[in-house]
Structures are given as C-alpha cells and as structure tokens.
Amino acid sequence: MKALLILLLLTSTAFAQEYTTPNNFYQYGTAMKGAVPGFAKKPKYFDAKQAEEHLRYLYNVKGVRLVISLDHCEDVGNVIDKINEKYKSVDLQHVCRKIVRSSKNRYRDRNVTLFEEVATAIETIPFYIHCRYGAHRAVTALTGGWIASEKLSFKKAFQRAGGKKRAFRSEGQQGLLKHAKRYAKDLIE
C-alpha cells in the first residue's frame, strides 16, 4: 500500500511538472499574453527545454494554435518547429512581429498595423502573444487588438489585456501606451 501511494505521488508529480505556465500569464477569452516561453534570468534569458514545456501547456491545456513573438523570435520559432516535427498531429503556427517604443508618433502607423493583426487573431484563433517579460509590448499590442476588434475604450481594452499601469514607467513604455490611447481615440471619434 505504501509503495502504491509513493508511485501515485511520483506519477502525479511528474505529470504536473510536464506542463508549466509561462511567466506573467494572463488570459481573456482566447487571447493570452505573457513572458517569452522559456524565459530565464540573465545571462541567457532563454531555456529551450522550459520553452517546450510552456508551449505544450499553451497548446494542450489552453488550446493555443498561434504564437505571436515580439521578442526571442528565432528561439521560440526553433522550439515550435521542433514541436511540430516531433508531434506530427500538432500544427502550432508562429509569427514574428515588432512593436516600436517611441513617445513620438513616427512609428504609430507601424504599431497600428500590428494592432489590426492582433484584432484578426482575437476574432479567429486562440493565440498567445509575448514579449520578454509579458508586461509592456505584449500588453500594448493586445490592448490595441482589443480596441481594433471591439472598438473598446483604451481603459477597458487595457484591463482586458491584463495591463498594469505601474509597469509602464519609462518614456519608451509610456510611448507604447500613447500609441494605443491615440488609436482608441481616433477609432471612437
């Protein structure tokens, strides 16, 4: 009996370790954001084995079929290719995009294009969008996506994206928010 209990405990622990959630994970509907799968601390910032665990969790547990990378694009792409090759029934899609930090409006149109692409994903496919930490660029892109998709106010879209204003301290981070705020204002007017 004792041996059976230990076996069950080890088996359930091993299964629980198989899937882990990415850092700073947040979900609303089928739109999810967070840190880069496989986030690791300095000096490497990326762990491929942990990335595979995170991506398997997103695919198997959360139903994610598209990953939008705003950082570590090549690293995440390599892991996704490995997963798709290893598990033939898996078709996890991956796209690489950039969002530009700027307090000026010169990159606004480029970011608006990303907002509209995220809106299309919101409307069509369960997806995960990430930057390095999952707190700034991913939140801004997802906020813009909710604005474009449902014509929400900036405040409502920011909440739906899991944003925290206290995370946006630097001038570049504030510039990201300004692009989304102006986009919401222009869309609503």
Side-chain angles (χ1 to χ4, degrees), residues 80-97:
I80 288 175
D81 289 345
K82 179 182 167 187
I83 290 170
N84 285 338
E85 190 175 305
K86 187 176 179 180
Y87 305 101
K88 299 297 181 193
S89 63
V90 172
D91 183 26
L92 186 56
Q93 299 170 44
H94 181 239
V95 295
C96 299
R97 297 294 180 261

Side-chain angles (χ1 to χ4, degrees), residues 3-4 14 17 38 70 98 110 112-113 118 148 153 158 161 172-174:
L4 180 61
Q17 290 175 348
L70 302 176
K98 294 285 183 196
R110 191 171 167 189
V112 166
T113 301
V118 171
S153 68
F158 189 69
Q173 294 163 349
Q174 288 290 321

Side-chain angles (χ1 to χ4, degrees), residues 112 115-116 119 123 143-152 183 187:
V112 166
F115 298 162
E116 291 168 351
E123 296 164 1
T143 298
W146 282 116
I147 292 166
S149 175
E150 298 194 11
K151 312 296 186 262
L152 298 175
Y183 181 61
L187 211 60

